[in-house]
Amino acid sequence: MKHLRTLLAVTVAMTFLLGVSVALRPVELQPTATTHCNEAVLTTASGTVSSSSCDGALASRVSGLLDSSVRDVADILDISWVRRVDVVVPASDTELVSLVGPAFADMAGVAIRDGSGQRVVINRVRASALSDVELSVLLRHEITHVATRDLTADSAPLWLVEGFADWVAFHGTGLSLRQAAPLLKSDVSALPVDFGGSGRDLAYQQAYSIMVYLQSRLGERGVVDFFLRHASLSAVDAGVIDVAAWREFLKTSIG
């Protein structure tokens, strides 16, 4: 799971901001047929997985996890959304860049919205290295972004957007806070903001821990209500989280 945590930090950075930028430059998915590979589409009850036939093993794994991942997210959120997700596994780096842009091409997965609607784009090289449990976590994280995008303001802070998506993604895995967030320390003094720099990995784990802290105070439904109440605002006051109480929670939880 440490492997997954490293990938997640690379995977989901600035996902919502990406949705905004991609929407400004619609790109249609190009055919993936090559001399040896053809475009293939797997259909499930909850969506589709489009890929090259040469990436059939990964596409099959994703399609096998898609229905349960959508269902898990839907059960936690309990909001009105289509409960359907289309996943794309680009056949080449060129196709990957055409969908997500060069700045995001090293990510394992990205939720985008462009001229073809909302989709989850999976980097076949990075995602192939994940176990099924890790791949499920990745899918649930990105599906959460798809499900909540229309309810989330572009200016919502990343600690809220990414922390909540991680909270949904790790829900039900049975992992402790220390296992899911091995870099965490209890000496926090402010909400995380460095989601693109050298402190990115820690920022994501801190954001996740905020949601776990809120769950201890508000319960599971309370975390969902908290997210929906604040994510739709044009700006969120940092004071919505009692940092001192969060710090004490971490001291008790991880030492």
Side-chain angles (χ1 to χ4, degrees):
M1 195 58 64
K2 182 179 180 181
H3 175 59
L4 170 65
R5 262 302 174 185
T6 301
L7 277 177
L8 271 180
V10 175
T11 297
V12 297
M14 309 298 281
T15 300
F16 262 73
L17 295 182
L18 176 62
V20 176
S21 63
V22 170
L24 297 177
R25 51 171 186 81
V27 177
E28 297 298 328
L29 177 64
Q30 299 300 311
T32 59
T34 68
T35 303
H36 304 291
C37 307
N38 298 306
E39 185 177 13
V41 179
L42 300 177
T43 301
T44 76
S46 301
T48 62
V49 180
S50 302
S51 71
S52 159
S53 59
C54 292
D55 294 315
L58 176 60
S60 179
R61 291 177 62 207
V62 172
S63 66
L65 296 169
L66 188 57
D67 286 347
S68 60
S69 297
V70 170
R71 183 172 58 251
D72 290 344
V73 172
D75 287 347
I76 296 170
L77 290 180
D78 191 24
I79 60 175
S80 177
W81 63 292
V82 296
R83 301 192 179 196
R84 176 184 173 83
V85 177
D86 294 317
V87 181
V88 178
V89 183
S92 66
D93 291 344
T94 300
E95 185 181 345
L96 177 65
V97 171
S98 76
L99 288 169
V100 306
F104 301 93
D106 66 339
M107 298 180 179
V110 182
I112 69 170
R113 177 166 56 187
D114 59 18
S116 297
Q118 291 205 69
R119 290 172 290 172
V120 172
V121 180
I122 298 294
N123 182 320
R124 72 191 198 286
V125 175
R126 288 189 174 274
S128 294
L130 300 177
S131 69
D132 282 350
V133 172
E134 293 170 336
L135 188 57
S136 293
V137 171
L138 172 64
L139 286 172
R140 288 195 296 267
H141 182 111
E142 301 304 339
I143 291 169
T144 301
H145 286 318
V146 171
T148 61
R149 190 182 299 278
D150 289 338
L151 303 176
T152 305
D154 295 340
S155 58
L158 286 175
W159 65 260
L160 178 64
V161 174
E162 301 298 351
F164 182 72
D166 254 9
W167 179 78
V168 174
F170 279 99
H171 188 276
T173 61
L175 294 173
S176 68
L177 180 57
R178 172 56 75 192
Q179 290 172 315
L183 296 179
L184 268 182
K185 296 181 179 180
S186 60
D187 58 344
V188 293
S189 58
L191 301 180
V193 295
D194 183 17
F195 288 85
S198 60
R200 178 180 57 198
D201 292 18
L202 178 59
Y204 275 98
Q205 295 182 36
Q206 287 177 336
Y208 169 66
S209 77
I210 292 172
M211 299 300 125
V212 179
Y213 155 68
L214 288 175
Q215 181 180 344
S216 72
R217 296 295 183 91
L218 306 175
E220 290 186 5
R221 185 63 217 182
V223 176
V224 176
D225 290 340
F226 178 92
F227 171 80
L228 295 176
R229 182 166 62 252
H230 293 93
S232 61
L233 300 178
S234 59
V236 179
D237 187 341
V240 297
I241 297 295
D242 184 337
V243 174
W246 170 39
R247 181 168 57 247
E248 289 304 312
F249 170 77
L250 291 178
K251 287 180 180 178
T252 300
S253 301
I254 64 174

